[in-house]
Each structure stands twice: as C-alpha cells, then as structure tokens.
Amino acid sequence: MARLSILEFPDPRLRKIASPITDVTGKIATLADDMLETMYAAPGIGLAASQVNVHQRLIVVDISNEKNEPVILINPKIIATEGEREAEEGCLSVPGFYEPVTRPARIEVAAINRDGEPYTLVAEGLLAVCIQHEMDHLEGRLFVDYISNTKRQMIRKKLIKQQRQRG
C-alpha cells in the first residue's frame, strides 16, 4: 500500500467531475487500499479519489474509532433520502477549517464493492454525512461551497498563504 498526496483547496483539480468506473479491477482495489491508508494517516474519516487526483467515482469511509470498519463505494448513487441534519464538517482538502452544513439525515446508497458486486447501504448520522461529503467531491463540490462566499474567500486566502509558507 502507498500513501497518496491529497489535493488542497483551491486546487482547480478538486473541481473536476469524476468518471464512472466501468470495470472493477485489481488496480481499483489497490487504489481503494491506498486511499484507506492515506485517509487513516491524515487522519480522516473519508476520502474521495478526486482528492488524490484520480478522477474516478470511488470513495472510502471509516467512521469507527478503531479504524477497522472501512466502507468502499464504487460508483455510489443516492437512491433515497430522509430528514435533515446540520453537522459541522471538515475536509482533508480544506485542512483546519470546520463549518456547519445541512444535509439529509438518512440516505440509501447504491454502489459496487471492491469485488465488483452491487450492494445498497442505508446510512444515518455521521456515516450519512461522511458519504454525502465524499460524494460531493466526485461532482467537483467541496463543503465550502455550502457556506457564504465571504467565509469561503477567507478560507481560500488563508490556505493559499499556508501553502506558500510550506513551499
């Protein structure tokens, strides 16, 4: 397994829409494993392939405290939603910033697993928020798109300054 570089806002590559995965190969399984390693090391609870500059419809999530319950979703699609919930969100591509975002409280997702088999998953609470957040990345959206333009620009300027200081 390998750790991958995570793109940071405002990198324009984060705005690219991901393509569907047509064939679940060993290469896709390896990418999922590498993404999990990268996410755990960051540390985070979710990562989309778009965040590591691979623009394919793959996300990994693990909200467990022990980091031993990974969920891999290939070509995820929300097929049902219920309710509404506001939760503070952060992002590995927007490090150090957290803002409240309102999303459906419960979702049903259809996806393909790492073995190429279709399945559905019902998620609520933090898992639902995390899946929706990561799915946004596949559409070129970030959680900062849900906040005011003023706050988004402030975060953008601070991150650019930090990136320059790092070299």
Side-chain angles (χ1 to χ4, degrees):
M1 294 199 309
R3 288 192 191 164
L4 308 169
S5 295
I6 299 172
L7 300 175
E8 288 186 10
F9 178 71
D11 192 310
R13 295 173 290 181
L14 289 167
R15 298 302 186 173
K16 188 172 180 181
I17 296 173
S19 300
I21 293 172
T22 55
D23 191 20
V24 179
T25 61
K27 186 176 178 182
I28 295 298
T30 299
L31 174 60
D33 291 341
D34 291 347
M35 287 172 58
L36 284 166
E37 180 178 339
T38 302
M39 177 188 76
Y40 291 138
I45 60 170
L47 188 67
S50 299
Q51 292 176 271
V52 294
N53 202 29
V54 177
H55 301 284
Q56 294 186 296
R57 300 187 77 78
L58 168 63
I59 66 173
V60 298
V61 174
D62 189 342
I63 62 165
S64 69
N65 290 329
E66 298 79 24
K67 303 299 177 205
N68 61 356
E69 297 176 25
V71 177
I72 296 168
L73 298 115
I74 299 168
N75 297 334
K77 182 176 182 175
I78 295 174
I79 55 176
T81 64
E82 189 178 299
E84 193 174 85
R85 168 192 169 135
E86 182 180 85
E88 192 169 83
E89 293 187 25
C91 181
L92 296 175
S93 291
V94 189
F97 293 92
Y98 301 88
E99 293 290 335
V101 177
T102 301
R103 298 185 184 275
R106 185 175 189 272
I107 60 171
E108 184 175 356
V109 182
I112 298 169
N113 68 19
R114 66 178 289 131
D115 298 321
E117 300 162 346
Y119 74 105
T120 59
L121 171 70
V122 175
E124 50 191 317
L126 181 58
L127 182 59
V129 169
C130 190
I131 290 170
Q132 292 172 84
H133 174 109
E134 299 311 328
M135 286 180 66
D136 272 355
H137 282 294
L138 304 179
E139 299 300 327
R141 283 192 302 267
L142 301 170
F143 87 96
V144 294
D145 296 337
Y146 293 92
I147 63 176
S148 74
N149 188 49
T150 303
K151 278 188 179 178
R152 185 171 45 258
Q153 291 307 319
M154 178 199 70
I155 290 170
R156 182 180 186 277
K157 287 177 184 174
K158 285 183 179 180
L159 285 175
I160 289 171
K161 184 178 179 182
Q162 290 172 10
Q163 291 162 10
R164 285 188 185 134
Q165 289 172 344
R166 285 194 308 253

